[in-house]
Amino acid sequence: MKHGKYRFLAMAILPALALHVIFVLSPYAQAFYLSLTDWTGVAGQANFVGLDNFARLGEDPLFLSALGNNALMLIVVPLATIAIALFLASMLNLGGRRGRAEVQGVAGGKVYKIVYFFPQLLSVPIIAVLWQFVYSPNNGLLNGFLSAVGLDGLARTWLADGSVALWAVMAVMVWSAVGFYVVLFSAAMDSIPRELFEAARLDGAGRLATFRSITLPLVRDNVNAAFVYLGIAALDGFALVQILSVGPGGPDGATEVIGLGLYRNAFSFGQFGYASAMGVALFFLTLTLAVIAMRSGRRTKVEMA
Amino acid sequence: MRRLGDGAIHLFMAAWAVMVAFPLVWAVLSSLKTDQQILTSPWSLPDRPHLENWARAWEQASIGKYFLNSLVVVGGALVLTMLLGSLVAYALARYSFPGNRFLYYLFVSGMLFPMFLALVPLFFVVKQLGLLGSYPGLILVYTAYALPFTVFFLTGFFRTLPNEVAESAALDGCSHSGIFFRVMLPMARPGLISVGIFNFLGLWNQYLLPLVLNPDPANYVLAQGLAALSVSQGYRGDFSGLFAGLTIAMLPVLVVYLVFQRRIRSGLTAGAVR
């Protein structure tokens, strides 16, 4: 039996381990090394250049605007998404008629939940192509809507106007993420005992007070997790920007993101060493984000009595 | 503190539902109109369903081919991921052997890195193996990148399963692999379904990996094909064809979702709560 055990374990683990090492671990490890070279893709011709690539990153205007854009996305996208999702989720669960003492979800909540989740099922290219039509200056949905409600003055060439292009991209990110977090938060709120809300209701607490002192502290863990996921998504943004924006990354670097620069430097310019340095920079940004989020998560954790 | 009126709440909730659904409905309706109608009366309903747009997108614009490519690649990767992932997870969760914890962290560490970091070396690894732009290449890479989460999720799941059934099967002389395939795998069904849904959607919507590893337009998967279509049909002014392609790409997933919506939502959110 002992012999059989190890034969089974080898059969169970080795194939997956081989794939993992070849396609995941070894590329990650190589990326760190490549970032210290000037490799342009010719076998055997990678010169070690130390931290030169990273010094170059600091002087690359396009990389710096990518860094700025990702930083803005990192602040705006998670905050906006979580705020909207928390609002919608708490209304779904607790926003119903308040005539009686019991607290209930809003009518039609099931249908709302189904619809809100739609974007989660669509690939980024589908979403990007869809929003090209929303933002299209002449017969796009957004400008059409604005003119229908008499706000023609607000109409823009959304994606070609450097002052709003990044906001237009971020709006799409928020649009596509909210539904998932509504469902996530709403499931967390479901597990909060109803009596807590009803007690608060009998004490005369309004919706806002109830939300602040009961709902929010008890879904805190999920909100923290949401910050991490949305933050990581905000540091990416590549697929959306690559398909949706003009350029891509334009106009004039207005929607440039780190991933786009990496892709361009590697697969258009063949600067594989330099592109790998961008990957390493992105890795450390992601890592920092995760560590900060985990720290703050531990501090604010509330145990349910 | 002022109370938000019930009317205002309904208004906001309905407004968000409209914001989500309207572009989708609009795209489906536009796919049934002529280019002329799309340009001159973008808000009106189609005069009759112009299904020839769909036929044109499916054949001339190759959406049909991309669709089948996606099915082959995602289907292959999903089967392989579930098989290898559940084997590893089961071995790590139910057997004690030297290096068990090390292997677990080795697999799970794959979730720590942004995929962009691996992109450049991965391209050359796949190229050197002669797998660039091939179905097996994409299937193996998709599987490798889906494994860390699958192992993480299923290891947790296998740990929660009771011991008794497996023990009595072992006493009856059932082999290790027999216990796995005939006893434990059926017991793990709920977990397998959750992670299977999660993986299917993640792989189906994968864009970055095929963009880099699958350069030949004849082999494009749906996500790639659609992005390419938006450029080519956009130049040609074939908006109805583009909307039809968009509709063909999104409708099957949405229909499957509407049928299994509860299960799909809980499957997709289950991974997020750790």
Side-chain angles (χ1 to χ4, degrees):
Chain A
M1 200 67 186
K2 182 104 181 158
H3 175 65
K5 171 185 160 186
Y6 281 101
R7 211 173 52 190
F8 172 72
L9 285 177
M11 176 211 90
I13 294 172
L14 288 181
L17 187 63
L19 283 183
H20 190 60
V21 169
I22 295 171
F23 293 116
V24 180
L25 292 183
S26 99
Y28 282 133
Q30 290 177 51
F32 284 99
Y33 171 71
L34 283 181
S35 74
L36 305 173
T37 71
D38 62 357
W39 196 45
T40 53
V42 184
Q45 291 195 11
N47 300 309
F48 187 80
V49 294
L51 295 174
D52 279 10
N53 286 328
F54 294 94
R56 232 178 101 194
L57 281 182
E59 290 158 9
D60 180 340
L62 210 49
F63 180 76
L64 293 178
S65 53
L67 213 55
N69 292 340
N70 276 122
L72 186 64
M73 287 155 75
L74 186 58
I75 296 166
V76 173
V77 173
L79 278 180
T81 307
I82 290 173
I84 297 173
L86 273 176
F87 176 77
L88 291 173
S90 53
M91 289 307 122
L92 270 177
N93 282 47
L94 315 161
R97 296 216 148 267
R98 296 171 56 98
R100 291 149 295 176
E102 66 262 35
V103 178
Q104 61 181 34
V106 76
K110 273 191 189 132
V111 177
Y112 284 134
K113 227 186 263 188
I114 294 174
V115 173
Y116 291 169
F117 204 71
F118 278 166
Q120 189 61 32
L121 304 156
L122 306 177
S123 65
V124 177
I126 292 180
I127 290 171
V129 174
L130 200 58
W131 279 80
Q132 273 177 345
F133 289 109
V134 175
Y135 287 140
S136 159
N138 296 322
N139 37 34
L141 275 187
L142 184 53
N143 283 351
F145 171 78
L146 288 174
S147 94
V149 295
L151 292 169
D152 298 76
L154 290 178
R156 294 267 185 290
T157 54
W158 297 100
L159 295 167
D161 180 341
S163 61
V164 290
L166 184 61
W167 293 93
V169 169
M170 291 193 288
V172 181
M173 295 178 90
V174 174
W175 177 86
S176 60
V178 160
F180 178 81
Y181 292 100
V182 170
V183 172
L184 187 70
F185 294 155
S186 152
M189 288 174 193
D190 264 342
S191 65
I192 301 174
R194 296 272 113 171
E195 299 79 51
L196 280 179
F197 295 112
E198 283 159 20
R201 164 94 187 99
L202 291 175
D203 286 345
R207 282 196 177 111
L208 213 65
T210 312
F211 175 78
R212 229 182 24 206
S213 39
I214 298 180
T215 317
L216 191 57
L218 290 176
V219 298
R220 189 87 219 186
D221 276 355
N222 293 72
V223 173
N224 280 330
F227 263 109
V228 178
Y229 297 133
L230 287 164
I232 289 171
L235 285 176
D236 181 350
F238 166 79
L240 188 61
V241 167
Q242 199 230 11
I243 302 169
L244 183 62
S245 72
V246 293
D252 203 19
T255 55
E256 178 79 10
V257 289
I258 298 171
L260 198 60
L262 189 158
Y263 180 79
R264 192 189 299 118
N265 273 287
F267 300 104
S268 302
F269 304 157
Q271 303 212 0
F272 295 106
Y274 187 50
S276 297
M278 291 182 173
V280 172
L282 187 61
F283 165 69
F284 280 112
L285 286 175
T286 312
L287 193 68
T288 312
L289 179 78
V291 170
I292 291 174
M294 263 189 269
R295 283 265 171 89
S296 73
R298 211 167 293 146
R299 206 176 51 233
T300 53
K301 194 171 166 117
V302 176
E303 295 292 339
M304 208 180 305
Chain B
M1 193 149 324
R2 280 181 54 205
R3 284 226 242 118
L4 216 51
D6 285 338
I9 286 170
H10 268 290
L11 201 67
F12 194 92
M13 304 209 49
W16 189 265
V18 169
M19 269 179 68
V20 167
F22 193 77
L24 307 183
V25 173
W26 182 71
V28 174
L29 288 178
S30 297
S31 80
L32 298 169
K33 293 155 80 167
T34 63
D35 285 321
Q36 187 64 24
Q37 288 165 348
I38 290 174
L39 292 175
T40 54
S41 47
W43 301 86
S44 69
L45 291 171
D47 59 337
R48 64 176 178 85
H50 289 270
L51 284 169
E52 66 270 17
N53 298 331
W54 290 36
R56 201 169 61 248
W58 183 265
E59 277 165 28
Q60 280 174 30
S62 309
I63 285 290
K65 190 166 171 37
Y66 303 150
F67 200 94
L68 295 180
N69 289 346
S70 272
L71 273 184
V72 171
V73 172
V74 172
L78 191 63
V79 170
L80 200 58
T81 303
M82 298 307 290
L83 179 69
L84 297 183
S86 56
L87 273 168
V88 169
Y90 172 69
L92 294 177
R94 315 284 298 198
Y95 287 86
S96 64
F97 57 91
N100 182 317
R101 285 194 78 74
F102 172 76
L103 280 175
Y104 176 74
Y105 286 115
L106 199 66
F107 274 110
V108 170
S109 71
M111 297 195 299
L112 198 70
F113 300 92
M115 198 184 274
F116 274 103
L117 180 59
L119 218 51
V120 169
L122 180 65
F123 171 78
F124 287 98
V125 166
V126 174
K127 192 178 172 188
Q128 269 158 19
L129 293 170
L131 292 172
L132 215 52
S134 71
Y135 288 156
L138 279 185
I139 289 174
L140 291 177
V141 173
Y142 275 27
T143 304
Y145 280 85
L147 274 176
F149 176 75
T150 308
V151 169
F152 167 78
F153 187 92
L154 288 180
T155 305
F157 198 84
F158 275 118
R159 281 196 187 124
T160 64
L161 294 180
N163 263 325
E164 291 78 15
V165 189
E167 277 166 6
S168 63
L171 287 178
D172 289 347
C174 201
S175 69
H176 290 281
S177 52
I179 293 174
F180 172 72
F181 283 109
R182 266 175 276 143
V183 178
M184 296 309 279
L185 218 46
M187 282 168 76
R189 233 185 79 157
L192 292 174
I193 290 176
S194 280
V195 79
I197 291 171
F198 184 89
N199 279 334
F200 172 78
L201 214 63
L203 296 173
W204 185 259
N205 292 340
Q206 181 56 252
Y207 176 67
L208 186 59
L209 287 176
L211 184 68
V212 171
L213 303 176
N214 190 28
D216 180 2
N219 289 338
Y220 273 1
V221 294
L222 197 52
Q224 271 178 300
L226 211 58
L229 197 67
S230 111
V231 176
S232 67
Q233 304 302 96
Y235 280 134
R236 235 181 284 158
D238 181 8
F239 295 111
S240 56
L242 182 50
F243 277 117
L246 204 59
T247 305
I248 294 172
M250 69 183 186
L251 225 46
V253 182
L254 288 181
V255 169
V256 172
Y257 165 66
L258 285 177
V259 177
F260 301 106
Q261 42 103 3
R262 273 193 80 92
R263 175 151 254 174
I264 290 178
R265 280 204 310 273
S266 62
L268 288 182
T269 45
V273 208
R274 297 174 190 170

